Amino acid sequence: MRAFAVAAVAAGAALVLAGCASTGTKTFGVQESFGSVATYSRLFDATPAQACEASRRALLSQGYVISSSAIDLVEGKKSFQPEPESHLQMVVRVVCVPEANDGKVSLGFVTATQDTYALRKTNNSASLGVGAIGSVSLPFSSTSESLVKVGSETIAKDTFYESFFDLVKRYLVIDQALTD
């Protein structure tokens, strides 16, 4: 019986020491696996400049504010408020590169990220001391609200990208009809 008690105490001590030795850092497995899935890219029968211009117009048509635009790059932002104390911001970034030697075929890479913000209330207080009449202190307090970023994710839904690429192709067809 005594040997059992000693073994139990030793096992308990080992568990306590193991718990103290752990850092408490949470680890995550690798979230990415590279493959040949074409979720984030499409070929266009257009130059990179034409593909990026069509992408810019597609974003503008959906209410995005263009924050960056060049011959081979477009970035747009749009804000959403699904609930009174929640805010979302979507950022869509398009990079257009030539795919053929003649430059008439391009590859468009699109990545969309969504940042999530929550309204946080902070209590602020200050006191006013009057030295001439003693240690009288009058408390003043206020509450301030601010949006705090609570999450960020890359959009991975195929349907989102398919609808974007379809809209870009529509603008490319319109542009081609205007130049003919």
Side-chain angles (χ1 to χ4, degrees), residues 38-109:
T39 300
Y40 303 103
S41 63
R42 288 295 181 279
L43 284 172
F44 298 110
D45 289 328
T47 66
Q50 291 168 328
C52 270
E53 175 58 20
S55 298
R56 185 182 73 83
R57 291 172 61 199
L59 290 171
L60 285 170
S61 75
Q62 301 302 304
Y64 283 79
V65 175
I66 304 302
S67 57
S68 178
S69 182
I71 288 177
D72 61 349
L73 169 77
V74 176
E75 184 174 279
K77 296 179 182 179
K78 186 175 180 180
S79 296
F80 304 89
Q81 189 170 1
E83 297 174 351
E85 296 194 7
S86 295
H87 177 81
L88 303 175
Q89 185 176 53
M90 177 88 70
V91 177
V92 178
R93 183 180 182 99
V94 183
V95 177
C96 307
V97 297
E99 182 64 15
N101 289 338
D102 63 359
K104 293 183 180 179
V105 176
S106 61
L107 189 56
F109 296 96

Side-chain angles (χ1 to χ4, degrees), residues 108-158:
F109 296 96
V110 179
T111 304
T113 57
Q114 181 172 285
D115 295 332
T116 306
Y117 298 86
L119 190 63
R120 299 285 191 241
K121 296 179 181 183
T122 306
N123 291 324
N124 300 319
S125 62
S127 61
L128 175 63
V130 181
I133 59 174
S135 61
V136 175
S137 200
L138 302 172
F140 294 101
S141 66
S142 66
T143 302
S144 64
E145 297 176 340
S146 60
L147 286 174
V148 177
K149 188 175 184 178
V150 294
S152 184
E153 69 175 311
T154 299
I155 305 301
K157 293 181 181 177
D158 290 339

Side-chain angles (χ1 to χ4, degrees), residues 5-21:
V6 170
V9 169
L15 286 174
V16 168
L17 288 175
C20 292

